Amino acid sequence: MRELTNTPLPILLAGPMLRHVSKDCMTLWWISSVATQPSLSLVQADKPIIVNEYSHSVTPIGQHAFVHLLCVSQRDLFTPKETASYNLTWPEHGDLCSVAPALLYDDESHITFAIPYQLREVYHGSCRKPHHEQADALAQLDLVLGAKHTSDIAKPDILFFTGDQIYADDVAGPTLHVIQQTIAQLGLFSERFEDALIQNSADLPEHPYCFYQREALLPDVESNEDVASIFFKGKRKPIFTSVNAQNHLVSLSEIMAMYILTWSPVMWARCSLDKDDLESMWTTRYEDEKTHIKQFISTLPAVQRALAHVPTYMIFDDHDVTDDWNLTRGWEDAAYGHPFSKRMIGNALIGYLLCQGCGNQPAQLGELLQCIPQHFTQTGIIEQDALIDTLLEWDRWHYHLDTQPPVRVLDTRTQRWRSESSMNKPSGLMDWESLVDFQRSIIGQDDVIVISAAPVYGVKFIEMIQRVFTWLGQALTVDAENWMAHKGTANVMLNIFRHIKTPPRFIILSGDVHYSFAYDIRLRFRRNSPQILQFTCSGLKNAFPTKLISKLDLLNRWFYGQRSPLNWLTKRRNMKISTRRPLGFEPAGLINHNGMGVLSLPDSAISDLKKVQCRVLTYSGQVIEFVDR
């Protein structure tokens, strides 16, 4: 790649991305190099839609970078069963066809999309790490959307990202190098730090600790040892993949540059991956990472085009902020008790709000979005810590979709049920109040789709290992984050499924774990048990160590088969869990390919969840179906 810093910036830096869509509203998100507000045109059934008014917020994040959120809210805006199309036109630049012609498929003059109401094809995925060695499965979505003839998988009605859309804590050296160039080219705003060796984010690129040594940026005092260990040290975890946090993102400008580079190829093309002044000890690692990053960049045009066409919803998991985010009460005390680490968490949350959360249910986040202009000015960010305090106190990151079936997206990160007995025991993924609110929201429904970042029903053998490490006080070592890790959360969640007013059919979509599997669950000793289907698909661009997951899968089948007496020692002993086997991979229950989940619902009313198809579309285009045996 050659540096092209002298060429004019294109108007579109990332997006447009289609976000919340219903029969009454539409939401678009993008980042541009100018603050100019384009005009919007909508068409359905070859007829223009008259838009009475819409809101359009523009948030400056740098001299040449502006986050846009456009929301149309109008009763009966769309007819649900017909596709619609949109176009944006800038007064001095033209429309999308001229500004970004590569976003349109061959037969399009405008960007077309479906109105997600009666859900038939639900796509989902998580864990998209740019420098993972396998290719990006999200790029396969572009091939599905662009297929002119019937393919093996139908086009999506809706797309859910179930966590780890970015890896703020695990950044490749070449990515960090391009992040710094992006900040410079766009003039992304700098910030001052408190209680850190570096006083201003603008000094980071030239600092000797900028690459692969960011754990040294904390002051060298005894009280900061816990903060350094939870944020920066690369921890080799015996169950999960190694965490390489030496390039952990620190400033808001780095977070915003990461989002631009995650969703769009534009700034990659203007920057160089080569870095000549790197210390010799890091050159081999840097070159290896560069190979994988080049592969990631090559598929970004397909990803950008696909996300312009599909209504997309997101929820955070830990890597969107930092590894093990809020895992234990001790973690929280250390992280939030230090100004520098609290700022890092807050910056990632600001990035999530501006680039992910704002598009899910803009009306629900109205209070947060209205306070953004108070903190982002044309010259920089003001009262940044006050904004962070507001975000940390916010308790409505979860949201609902009134589709058929309805969707409930859970916040399993910020409303934790903290352990009272030990600071090092895992917190429950949701506290009692948030679980009660969830239960109330599903009463009276016949079917419901639940989005949970982590699987509610995990692999029992792996959870057993996590339990042992937790007992030894090492919950952080093995990412002991599962629904069964906290007694209170586990009991309440399982009681929700057992409640007499529980919907008769649940579908749980999850990710997080870097392997994929599907379970059918029924209650034992109950004639009218609800049907529960859990489909876990992970990751889009991340995977479990292959040899290790094969051994764990085998041990799980040995120790926790359907007839094993060990099942009666688990919290789920009153539930019968049947594993769907991946066709072509039997007797395995887990598959370990970068892939995207495809949930196919029957055209008629859902009466039997066993008729619901669960398939994984892998990064290579292979389709793997989980079948009942």
Side-chain angles (χ1 to χ4, degrees):
M1 287 189 183
R2 296 180 297 113
E3 291 197 38
L4 302 174
T5 55
N6 293 327
T7 60
L9 285 165
I11 188 170
L12 271 178
L13 302 176
M17 190 183 299
L18 187 61
R19 300 303 312 276
H20 177 49
V21 175
S22 72
K23 67 182 183 66
D24 299 319
C25 66
M26 174 192 178
T27 308
L28 286 174
W29 173 94
W30 70 92
I31 297 179
S32 73
S33 60
V34 296
T36 305
Q37 300 190 27
S39 60
L40 170 72
S41 60
L42 297 175
V43 175
Q44 190 173 35
D46 296 324
K47 296 180 180 179
I49 296 176
I50 298 176
V51 178
N52 296 325
E53 61 179 297
Y54 56 84
S55 64
H56 185 171
S57 64
V58 183
T59 303
I61 58 172
Q63 294 176 346
H64 308 292
F66 303 85
V67 179
H68 297 254
L69 185 69
L70 188 154
C71 304
V72 182
S73 182
Q74 188 170 302
R75 186 169 183 178
D76 296 327
L77 182 66
F78 300 112
T79 301
K81 294 184 179 181
E82 298 180 357
T83 60
S85 64
Y86 70 87
N87 196 8
L88 296 172
T89 303
W90 287 265
E92 299 179 358
H93 301 273
D95 66 358
L96 280 173
C97 291
S98 56
V99 168
L103 291 178
L104 279 71
Y105 292 104
D106 292 341
D107 57 347
E108 287 184 325
S109 59
H110 300 81
I111 296 179
T112 58
F113 60 97
I115 315 303
Y117 178 69
Q118 188 69 47
L119 300 182
R120 296 289 180 240
E121 302 293 329
V122 179
Y123 282 48
H124 68 107
S126 69
C127 307
R128 187 165 170 256
K129 184 168 73 170
H131 58 284
H132 186 264
E133 59 187 16
Q134 292 181 10
D136 188 1
L138 187 56
Q140 290 294 320
L141 182 61
D142 182 66
L143 298 179
V144 173
L145 292 169
K148 295 182 179 180
H149 305 287
T150 303
S151 61
D152 293 337
I153 293 186
K155 296 180 181 181
D157 298 313
I158 199 168
L159 170 64
F160 291 102
F161 288 131
T162 58
D164 299 341
Q165 282 64 255
I166 67 165
Y167 276 68
D169 60 321
D170 188 355
V171 181
T175 303
L176 185 57
H177 183 43
V178 175
I179 283 173
Q180 300 298 346
Q181 295 173 69
T182 299
I183 291 171
Q185 289 192 43
L186 300 181
L188 300 187
F189 297 142
S190 62
E191 62 188 275
R192 292 187 59 81
F193 297 128
E194 182 182 348
D195 280 358
L197 290 185
I198 192 164
Q199 302 302 311
N200 195 295
S201 62
D203 300 329
L204 271 170
E206 304 302 324
H207 198 282
Y209 296 152
C210 182
F211 285 86
Y212 301 114
Q213 300 179 81
R214 292 195 166 196
E215 67 274 20
L217 290 176
L218 283 169
D220 188 17
V221 293
E222 184 177 352
S223 61
N224 292 315
E225 291 181 358
D226 288 341
V227 178
S229 66
I230 66 173
F231 269 87
F232 292 111
K233 288 186 179 178
K235 296 167 286 183
R236 175 64 65 173
K237 300 185 178 182
I239 301 303
F240 297 94
T241 57
S242 62
V243 175
N244 299 299
Q246 295 93 339
N247 285 338
H248 200 305
L249 300 183
V250 171
S251 66
L252 179 58
S253 60
E254 289 182 335
I255 292 287
M256 298 307 298
M258 185 68 171
Y259 275 108
I260 292 171
L261 297 170
T262 298
W263 300 126
S264 168
V266 170
M267 292 308 298
W268 290 103
R270 296 178 56 87
C271 300
S272 173
L273 288 175
D274 298 326
K275 185 170 176 58
D276 299 328
D277 59 347
L278 193 67
E279 291 189 32
S280 58
M281 70 180 74
W282 308 117
T283 53
T284 299
R285 175 176 171 181
Y286 189 95
E287 290 301 317
D288 289 343
E289 291 173 341
K290 188 162 71 172
T291 299
H292 302 316
I293 289 298
K294 286 181 177 179
Q295 179 192 66
F296 175 75
I297 297 168
S298 68
T299 58
L300 275 176
V303 170
Q304 184 181 24
R305 178 164 62 176
L307 295 180
H309 288 76
V310 182
T312 302
Y313 296 83
M314 309 179 188
I315 191 65
F316 45 49
D317 204 11
D318 57 345
H319 294 291
D320 294 287
V321 176
T322 190
D323 189 27
D324 299 332
W325 181 30
N326 294 343
L327 192 148
T328 67
R329 182 160 55 93
W331 188 102
E332 292 189 52
D333 287 350
Y336 297 116
H338 189 279
F340 188 50
S341 53
K342 181 181 177 182
R343 172 66 69 86
M344 290 169 58
I345 296 170
N347 283 339
L349 264 181
I350 295 172
Y352 173 80
L353 172 64
L354 293 178
C355 299
Q356 296 194 59
C358 64
N360 293 323
Q361 293 272 285
Q364 180 175 310
L365 297 178
E367 293 178 32
L368 285 185
L369 297 177
Q370 289 171 11
C371 77
I372 288 296
Q374 304 170 23
H375 299 278
F376 288 83
T377 71
Q378 297 297 326
T379 57
I381 310 169
I382 60 175
E383 297 182 356
Q384 192 166 344
D385 289 331
L387 175 59
I388 289 171
D389 287 338
T390 300
L391 296 185
L392 292 175
E393 293 172 1
W394 187 257
D395 60 358
R396 282 174 282 165
W397 296 112
H398 60 283
Y399 55 95
H400 302 167
L401 300 182
D402 294 326
T403 51
Q404 295 297 327
V407 178
R408 302 293 183 259
V409 181
L410 305 181
D411 167 11
T412 61
R413 279 288 160 191
T414 72
Q415 303 299 307
R416 291 282 174 121
W417 195 330
R418 296 164 182 86
S419 173
E420 296 180 1
S421 61
S422 172
M423 300 209 20
N424 295 320
K425 284 186 177 180
S427 299
L429 301 192
M430 292 173 64
D431 60 18
W432 184 84
E433 291 84 357
S434 57
L435 285 167
V436 169
D437 288 343
F438 164 63
Q439 183 178 27
R440 288 171 178 166
S441 77
I442 60 176
I443 290 176
Q445 303 290 345
D446 291 328
D447 314 282
V448 64
I449 296 176
V450 178
I451 307 295
S452 168
V456 175
Y457 300 90
V459 177
K460 292 179 181 178
F461 188 80
I462 293 177
E463 290 184 348
M464 181 271 291
I465 296 175
Q466 291 173 325
R467 185 174 180 181
V468 170
F469 273 80
T470 298
W471 181 74
L472 295 172
Q474 299 296 319
L476 291 171
T477 305
V478 291
D479 273 343
E481 293 189 274
N482 61 73
W483 282 90
M484 301 301 121
H486 184 278
K487 184 177 181 181
T489 296
N491 288 338
V492 174
M493 191 59 156
L494 295 179
N495 283 335
I496 288 174
F497 292 128
R498 292 193 290 259
H499 196 276
I500 192 171
K501 293 184 178 180
T502 286
R505 289 169 294 276
F506 275 99
I507 298 174
I508 304 169
L509 302 181
S510 61
D512 178 53
V513 292
H514 304 166
Y515 48 84
S516 301
F517 59 96
Y519 289 158
D520 289 293
I521 302 107
R522 300 295 293 266
L523 298 180
R524 299 181 189 271
F525 319 119
R526 184 167 146 184
R527 182 176 299 177
N528 296 319
S529 166
Q531 299 178 54
I532 304 170
L533 167 62
Q534 178 182 275
F535 181 17
T536 300
C537 188
S538 177
L540 287 166
K541 202 176 189 310
N542 211 343
F544 208 95
T546 302
K547 292 183 180 179
L548 179 57
I549 195 61
S550 298
K551 292 178 182 178
L552 292 172
D553 186 20
L554 178 62
L555 291 170
N556 186 67
R557 283 182 273 125
W558 281 357
F559 285 95
Y560 290 98
Q562 290 191 22
R563 298 181 180 179
S564 170
L566 292 179
N567 288 316
W568 294 98
L569 301 178
T570 70
K571 295 183 178 70
R572 300 177 301 223
R573 53 187 170 271
N574 292 324
M575 294 187 168
K576 179 181 179 181
I577 300 176
S578 302
T579 303
R580 294 193 185 187
R581 302 296 175 184
L583 196 60
F585 294 82
E586 301 92 333
L590 312 176
I591 61 171
N592 193 39
H593 294 66
N594 284 7
M596 180 165 36
V598 181
L599 180 83
S600 299
L601 304 173
D603 291 335
S604 57
I606 306 173
S607 58
D608 186 356
L609 291 188
K610 288 188 177 293
K611 296 179 180 178
V612 174
Q613 289 183 307
C614 299
R615 290 171 289 178
V616 173
L617 176 60
T618 73
Y619 68 96
S620 63
Q622 181 183 11
V623 179
I624 303 172
E625 182 174 0
F626 289 96
V627 295
D628 185 29
R629 292 298 191 188

